[in-house]
Amino acid sequence: MHCTHLIAADTWYVGASDRRLAKFENLFPIPRGVSYNSYLIVDEKTALLDTADASVSAQYLENTAYALNGRGLDYLIINHMEPDHAATIAEVLLRWPEVQIVCNAKTVPMLKNYFPAAAEKIDAALLVKEGDVLSLGSHELTFVMAPMVHWPEVMLTFDKTTNVLFSADAFGTFGALDGNIFADEVDFARDWLDDARRYYANIVGKYGAQVQAVLKKAAGLPIQVIAPLHGPIWRQDLAWFLGKYDLWSRWQPEDQGVVVLYGSMYGNTASAASALAGLLADRGVQKIAVHDLSVVDTSEAVAECFRASTIVLAAPTYNGGLYLPMNALLEDLKALSLQNRTFALIENGSWAPMSGKLMAERVGELKNCTLLDTRVTLRGALSPAQDADLAVLADAVVAAVKG
């Protein structure tokens, strides 16, 4: 049974969703699944924009055949070669052998690596570069190079007739599509924004400078629809979502607030983290989030660091080093180039606390980040005598939030 949607004149959504996959890239939990979006333009010439993951290949190919309605397929435009969008290329070439591949030069070696049996078809590809135009009849497509957003071969395709930007992995989000495929048909801010932020921070977050370059290019196009490769399609409130991408790609916080991220073996560090959160609330901080790093996935903690302006890290010493979930988080923050945040520390160590020193060293590796001088050191449980120390730390955090 086909499942297609008309998203603009002559332009069909032919993608599919996977609700059984547990982890995206076998790394990031996706309890709501994920969609693999693909699009078909049916004009004098027909053009398929990207394919889909092998897990949804049967549904995807049925959708594409239905939307073609007996027509042949003239062009396969490859905006991105990652296998969750390219795995079905071989099947498309078999079903529609007359199709011509359209891609940029950086895509060709990747195509040959993944599909060596299709070398002759790949050699006959139509190679495009920045600003080139492909006419389908009434639809004119132009190509926008977007290297390292987030692979080197990535490009975007803009339909100058319908003002649809086919944006590859940019502007995507985790989550399967439940019938409503447009962002304005769901409560995106309530139900999707957290997954959009987590997707950006963990998948694209390292490449903020490249995203900024794409945003500048996009500003010069009369975009009315953004059609990403994952998640809902945007046809309203584009400026709101583009604004989120602008903040994230400049590593600027969305919220002037605090996220407390802690690791705790026996509950003592957790108790201190909770006590600090209460003191912050007493001092008027409204946006406070507290997360146990042994419970939340690291990808969720990373996304919270992209959201909040001020980050409190609390962790015990472990084998003379740093508690493992905290170590994993700090490794990811460095890899993803988190910047422009204020950090505060709570360390714990019953006889030789080292976690504060180690966390401080890791924070020091982040660009344009401030580490508050005030630090609370626990030697097991937080003692009543340390209430004043925790209050001093709360005051310093509040001052940082208020700027």
Side-chain angles (χ1 to χ4, degrees):
M1 174 65 71
H2 66 271
C3 184
T4 60
H5 304 270
L6 190 68
I7 69 163
D10 311 315
T11 307
W12 294 88
Y13 173 90
V14 294
S17 288
D18 185 352
R19 295 175 179 84
R20 295 191 294 180
L21 185 66
K23 290 186 176 182
F24 187 80
E25 295 184 350
N26 216 16
L27 284 172
F28 310 114
I30 46 170
R32 299 197 306 135
V34 66
S35 72
Y36 303 108
N37 301 346
S38 175
Y39 307 93
L40 177 72
I41 301 173
V42 181
D43 197 355
E44 293 174 22
K45 299 283 189 178
T46 57
L48 183 63
L49 292 104
D50 295 296
T51 66
D53 189 78
S55 65
V56 297
S57 61
Q59 181 69 72
Y60 166 70
L61 292 166
E62 186 172 353
N63 291 347
T64 302
Y66 175 81
L68 281 168
N69 193 27
R71 297 275 304 274
L73 183 60
D74 295 298
Y75 298 113
L76 170 59
I77 298 171
I78 302 172
N79 289 312
H80 186 21
M81 265 302 299
E82 201 166 3
D84 56 335
H85 307 297
T88 321
I89 286 174
E91 287 292 330
V92 169
L93 298 181
L94 285 172
R95 288 176 179 243
W96 295 282
E98 75 281 5
V99 69
Q100 183 175 24
I101 292 171
V102 180
C103 63
N104 64 69
K106 290 181 180 179
T107 307
V108 172
M110 294 185 183
L111 277 167
K112 290 185 174 181
N113 285 338
Y114 281 108
F115 306 108
E120 184 176 346
K121 178 69 74 172
I122 297 165
D123 286 335
L126 173 62
L127 299 184
V128 296
K129 59 185 184 301
E130 183 83 27
D132 282 355
V133 175
L134 174 65
S135 176
L136 304 180
S138 62
H139 292 258
E140 285 198 346
L141 308 181
T142 187
F143 302 97
V144 179
M145 300 300 117
M148 298 317 301
V149 183
H150 58 120
W151 277 28
E153 88 300 351
V154 172
M155 68 181 188
L156 318 182
T157 301
F158 181 66
D159 186 341
K160 297 196 288 186
T161 304
T162 56
N163 293 328
V164 176
L165 178 68
F166 300 96
S167 63
D169 267 348
F171 313 113
T173 181
F174 297 133
L177 295 173
D178 295 333
N180 294 318
I181 68 167
F182 293 102
D184 57 276
E185 294 176 328
V186 298
D187 191 331
F188 192 93
R190 184 191 66 193
D191 298 331
W192 287 84
L193 181 58
D194 286 350
D195 269 335
R197 185 189 304 108
R198 187 163 65 96
Y199 176 88
Y200 175 86
N202 290 277
I203 307 299
V204 191
K206 180 180 178 66
Y207 304 104
Q210 291 84 354
V211 173
Q212 280 288 306
V214 167
L215 289 173
K216 288 180 173 62
K217 291 181 180 181
L221 299 172
I223 301 168
Q224 294 181 358
V225 176
I226 297 176
L229 288 177
H230 296 292
I233 299 164
W234 289 84
R235 61 184 180 182
Q236 296 180 19
D237 302 317
L238 273 63
W240 179 82
F241 199 44
L242 289 168
K244 296 294 184 184
Y245 257 68
D246 180 50
L247 285 175
W248 297 336
S249 59
R250 289 187 293 113
W251 293 279
Q252 295 298 326
E254 286 175 73
D255 295 333
Q256 289 300 120
V258 181
V259 58
V260 181
L261 302 167
Y262 72 86
S264 188
M265 288 184 282
Y266 301 109
N268 294 305
T269 309
S271 179
S274 296
L276 176 64
L279 292 175
L280 296 175
D282 290 342
R283 285 158 172 75
V285 180
Q286 294 184 334
K287 294 186 176 180
I288 307 168
V290 182
H291 298 285
D292 182 344
L293 292 176
S294 295
V295 175
V296 301
D297 188 75
T298 301
S299 67
E300 296 176 63
V302 165
E304 284 287 78
C305 291
F306 269 72
R307 178 188 61 79
S309 64
T310 306
I311 302 162
V312 179
L313 305 177
T317 303
Y318 192 78
N319 284 337
L322 187 55
Y323 193 56
L324 297 180
M326 181 63 74
N327 189 65
L329 170 63
L330 288 168
E331 284 188 0
D332 261 7
L333 294 183
K334 180 181 178 182
L336 296 168
S337 302
L338 184 74
Q339 302 173 27
N340 308 316
R341 297 298 189 274
T342 297
F343 285 84
L345 304 180
I346 299 174
E347 66 173 345
N348 202 340
S350 297
W351 64 91
M354 285 292 296
S355 56
K357 176 179 180 292
L358 296 171
M359 288 188 289
E361 289 174 355
R362 304 299 289 276
V363 170
E365 295 172 345
L366 303 178
K367 186 177 179 182
N368 295 331
C369 287
T370 300
L371 179 61
L372 297 180
D373 292 333
T374 307
R375 182 189 305 176
V376 172
T377 299
L378 310 179
R379 290 184 177 272
L382 180 69
S383 70
Q386 290 182 294
D387 287 349
D389 296 336
L390 204 63
V392 170
L393 180 60
D395 289 337
V397 171
V398 170
V401 172
K402 293 182 178 179

